[in-house]
Amino acid sequence: MGKVALEGIEFHAYHGAYPEESILGNRFTLDLELETDFKEAMLHDELSATVDYSKLYKIIKARMDVKVKLLEHLGHMIVSDILEAYPKTKQIRLTLKKHGPALGGLVKYSAVQIQYPEDYA
């Protein structure tokens, strides 16, 4: 088993439970770590034998473009999309942060962390 990671992926998106969030949008960052078997890629230098970073980014971006209210739901949908594209994935750790959330005071970010399969048991 090996780990593949993308860290600090940034988006401007329109997620949130409050009307102004879906109009103004916000800055989001995402960290992603997957555990998968990439032994064949190590031995044979073939992209098809591992997780393609550019495909992962496209999966995440496509989901970030669809407005939702909750970070928990957004994270779950991203995990589901990744598992559909890469069913041999054994574990996923996703951290999704909303910078400067509208909470009535200064807050650097709010965040959720979703772990597969632990959070799906």
Side-chain angles (χ1 to χ4, degrees):
M1 287 298 140
K3 292 186 180 179
V4 173
L6 293 176
E7 295 186 10
I9 307 168
E10 291 197 25
F11 297 97
H12 185 85
Y14 299 88
H15 308 296
Y18 303 107
E20 62 273 14
E21 293 177 299
S22 67
I23 296 168
L24 300 173
N26 215 324
R27 180 175 154 238
F28 294 83
T29 56
L30 189 142
D31 296 328
L32 178 68
E33 185 177 279
L34 287 83
E35 185 174 312
T36 188
D37 181 357
F38 56 58
K39 185 176 180 180
E40 290 300 314
M42 291 180 356
L43 297 173
H44 301 291
D45 197 26
E46 292 292 331
L47 181 57
S48 62
T50 190
V51 175
D52 181 342
Y53 307 139
S54 65
K55 185 174 178 181
L56 267 184
Y57 179 84
K58 288 175 187 172
I59 289 168
I60 296 165
K61 181 173 180 350
R63 191 52 70 180
M64 291 297 293
D65 288 343
V66 178
K67 291 182 188 180
V68 299
K69 294 177 187 171
L70 302 177
L71 294 180
E72 294 86 345
H73 181 68
L74 178 59
H76 163 69
M77 297 308 295
I78 292 169
V79 167
S80 296
D81 292 347
I82 291 168
L83 289 170
E84 184 177 322
Y86 295 103
K88 293 182 181 179
T89 301
K90 302 296 182 204
Q91 291 186 320
I92 298 174
R93 180 179 308 153
L94 179 146
T95 303
L96 181 58
K97 298 176 184 177
K98 179 192 287 189
H99 295 264
L103 300 177
L106 293 176
V107 176
K108 188 172 183 176
Y109 59 81
S110 58
V112 297
Q113 185 176 78
I114 297 175
Q115 296 185 97
Y116 171 86
E118 296 85 356
D119 292 337
Y120 291 80

